[in-house]
Amino acid sequence: MAKRDDPETIGRRVQRLRREQGLTQRQLAEPAYTPAYISTLEAGRVRPSDEALRHVAERLGVGFDELATGRPAHLATDLRLRMTEARRTLATGESEKAAEQYARLLAEAEEHELVDVQAEALLGLGECALETGELESGRQFFERSEQALADAPLPARVPALRGRAVSHYLAGELRYAVYLMESTLDELNRGGLHDPDALLLLYAGVIGPYMDMGAHARAAQAAEFALALAPQAGDPALVARMHRSVARTLLAEGRIAEADASLAKAAELYRTLQLRTELANCHWMRGYVCAQNGELERAEQELRAAQSMLSAKRAALYTSQVAVELADVLHRCGKSEEAADLLRNVLGDLSPERGAVHAAAAHRLLGIIAEDARDTETAEEHYVRALSLLERAGAAGDLADLCRLLGDLLRRTGRVEAAMDAYRTGLGHRTAPGTTTLGPAPAQPPL
């Protein structure tokens, strides 16, 4: 039951409603109470019992909760229905319209002090911000959602915390994203808070940062735990997202058929649930799988489908990231000029604070294209910019390869000492991928 207002507020509300309906204090009081009691109640000098309030509410023709709290009847139910509609709007990729719906829900929830609805609306606004690439705004919404649920059990705060971690990840802050998710997993598992949805959300979420950091063993372990938790999860969209994340680890292990099968499961769930943006991400991942398997024509088709769907839904950051991977496929198909044009167009939408890993990939590929055209000065400039982005992000998984490219270029142009420095930097990141940036693995769930 919602918390009651103070006696003075309730008294003023009773007086206002009585006068609006043209009733006297005697008419409101009869037959169970006296006019003097109603006068005392309206003055806020008595705390009415539930029984008295039910009598007054019945005489005034309003609900008990509305009289006690000021919240209109059926408000909570109405807000829940509208929250479901906002989630559906976001799922179909209309992030701007969804943000408007969530903002109205947040204003009403704040007006009526409905904390759980406030937290959910803030979470939705954070997800909308991630869709449109507004990472700082998204992070702030997720933080406010966490704060609203400060007194709730940890599993209830996990969606907001995971959202905050994703915003750091997309901003190129891989280590901090991993820290947030690992420390929460540790707290959940060590504290016996084995909520399947919360654990699955975190294990699936941490796979991407692990892979980019070169911590492939941890990514594989997280994928193993996620697959084991999936049958217990209650949210099919969460299970679909898990299959999409797990495909990365399968691909890294050379298990291409299994990766493709995992993505097929995810795509089928997304189609059933009509989650259009997530389906676009699935096309994106399948394009990546095809590219790794040398199926370049199919890879181009999948990536173009993803780019078209994301662009139509104004998911600017994700659209730019897909474009980088499409450019790689185009270059491998011999369409280097088209690839370079595409990369130059999207680099303005990527930065060290926004899609750092893909910005580095764009510079790396532009460097390779420049080398092919014998423009070593431009190639070196792109390699150096990519190296700076990857070092800042802590993306050890790609640093070694980039250092090799830069070292080879420097050696060919006669700068042997500089080339040796580049090779040493790459070897330093290659020696023990991931172990220099991660602490002990978090406690394991009981599976």
Side-chain angles (χ1 to χ4, degrees):
M1 184 182 295
K3 185 180 177 182
R4 271 195 194 192
D5 287 333
D6 60 81
E8 288 186 13
T9 303
I10 292 175
R12 287 195 297 271
R13 188 175 297 129
V14 169
Q15 186 180 65
R16 175 178 56 79
L17 290 169
R18 177 179 63 78
R19 287 176 174 173
E20 283 175 1
Q21 296 186 33
L23 297 175
T24 65
Q25 289 180 336
R26 180 179 296 279
Q27 288 171 322
L28 186 59
E30 291 177 343
Y33 298 92
T34 65
Y37 177 77
I38 297 298
S39 177
T40 306
L41 189 158
E42 289 184 348
R45 294 197 298 270
V46 64
R47 183 175 180 80
S49 66
D50 284 357
E51 185 182 358
L53 270 187
R54 290 188 194 283
H55 165 82
V56 172
E58 186 178 349
R59 298 288 288 173
L60 291 170
V62 298
F64 171 82
D65 284 344
E66 183 174 354
L67 191 62
T69 67
R71 295 170 189 165
H74 311 301
L75 174 68
T77 303
D78 175 60
L79 290 178
R80 284 287 165 204
L81 289 171
R82 287 165 55 201
M83 189 72 73
T84 301
E85 183 60 33
R87 281 197 295 268
R88 188 178 296 117
T89 303
L90 178 59
T92 57
E94 299 178 73
S95 50
E96 292 179 0
K97 181 180 176 182
E100 292 172 2
Q101 292 173 317
Y102 281 124
R104 286 194 292 269
L105 285 163
L106 177 61
E108 289 184 51
E110 288 176 336
E111 179 186 349
H112 297 290
E113 299 180 352
L114 294 168
V115 175
D116 57 335
V117 180
Q118 286 179 46
E120 195 168 346
L122 287 163
L123 184 66
L125 285 167
E127 295 289 352
C128 290
L130 291 188
E131 285 282 309
T132 54
E134 300 166 86
L135 302 183
E136 183 59 34
S137 295
R139 187 179 308 149
Q140 291 171 4
F141 284 129
F142 291 129
E143 285 173 354
R144 287 173 61 190
S145 182
E146 281 186 84
Q147 290 163 6
L149 295 172
D151 297 328
L154 179 58
R157 302 197 302 274
V158 163
L161 191 143
R162 175 257 173 199
R164 186 156 60 95
V166 170
S167 67
H168 283 288
Y169 171 46
L170 292 173
E173 298 163 10
L174 276 63
R175 279 175 291 227
Y176 189 62
V178 166
Y179 162 75
L180 283 175
M181 289 190 274
E182 281 197 342
S183 58
T184 308
L185 281 166
D186 216 23
E187 192 174 347
L188 286 168
N189 288 324
R190 291 191 189 282
L193 301 170
H194 303 303
D195 182 283
D197 281 6
L199 289 170
L200 184 58
L201 194 60
L202 291 168
Y203 280 121
V206 81
I207 288 173
Y210 277 156
M211 293 294 290
D212 288 343
M213 292 173 73
H216 295 164
R218 286 222 186 159
Q221 186 182 56
E224 180 186 333
F225 291 155
L227 286 166
L229 287 161
Q232 304 170 45
D235 183 355
L238 180 54
V239 174
R241 182 186 289 167
M242 179 274 300
H243 279 299
R244 187 158 53 85
S245 298
V246 165
R248 280 195 73 177
T249 66
L250 295 170
L251 187 61
E253 295 171 0
R255 297 154 66 183
I256 293 172
E258 291 174 69
D260 203 37
S262 193
L263 288 168
K265 289 178 189 173
E268 186 57 39
L269 282 166
Y270 290 144
R271 287 190 194 94
T272 303
L273 297 167
Q274 297 183 327
L275 302 182
R276 189 161 176 79
T277 301
E278 294 287 8
L279 182 58
N281 288 333
C282 212
H283 280 293
W284 176 4
M285 191 66 197
R286 292 190 88 170
Y288 178 71
V289 170
C290 294
Q292 297 302 304
N293 199 32
E295 301 173 61
L296 299 182
E297 186 176 337
R298 186 178 164 209
E300 182 179 347
Q301 290 171 355
E302 293 280 3
L303 290 169
R304 286 195 187 280
Q307 186 185 36
S308 175
M309 292 168 74
L310 290 167
S311 178
K313 300 306 174 187
R314 300 183 182 179
L317 177 57
Y318 295 140
T319 303
S320 297
Q321 290 177 328
V322 171
V324 173
E325 299 192 22
L326 174 60
D328 180 56
V329 170
L330 292 173
H331 170 64
R332 289 166 64 186
C333 290
K335 306 173 187 175
S336 296
E337 281 190 31
E338 185 181 350
D341 288 342
L342 185 58
L343 291 169
R344 284 190 283 266
N345 286 337
V346 301
L347 265 176
D349 295 323
L350 300 168
S351 70
E353 295 78 30
R354 194 169 180 270
V357 175
H358 278 80
H363 281 297
R364 174 189 174 278
L365 184 53
L366 282 168
I368 290 172
I369 292 171
E371 266 206 274
D372 290 345
R374 303 186 185 283
D375 185 352
T376 54
E377 186 177 338
T378 300
E380 183 179 345
E381 180 184 333
H382 283 299
Y383 289 154
V384 169
R385 293 180 71 178
L387 184 63
S388 173
L389 286 163
L390 292 174
E391 284 187 319
R392 180 184 181 279
D398 295 325
L399 263 168
D401 175 63
L402 183 65
C403 288
R404 179 188 59 78
L405 287 170
L406 179 58
D408 289 351
L409 174 65
L410 293 168
R411 182 171 52 81
R412 280 196 298 272
T413 54
R415 288 168 287 172
V416 177
E417 282 300 320
M420 292 296 289
D421 285 341
Y423 291 141
R424 287 190 195 101
T425 301
L427 283 170
H429 289 288
R430 193 69 180 165
T431 304
T435 56
T436 57
T437 50
L438 299 173
Q444 296 184 11
L447 299 174

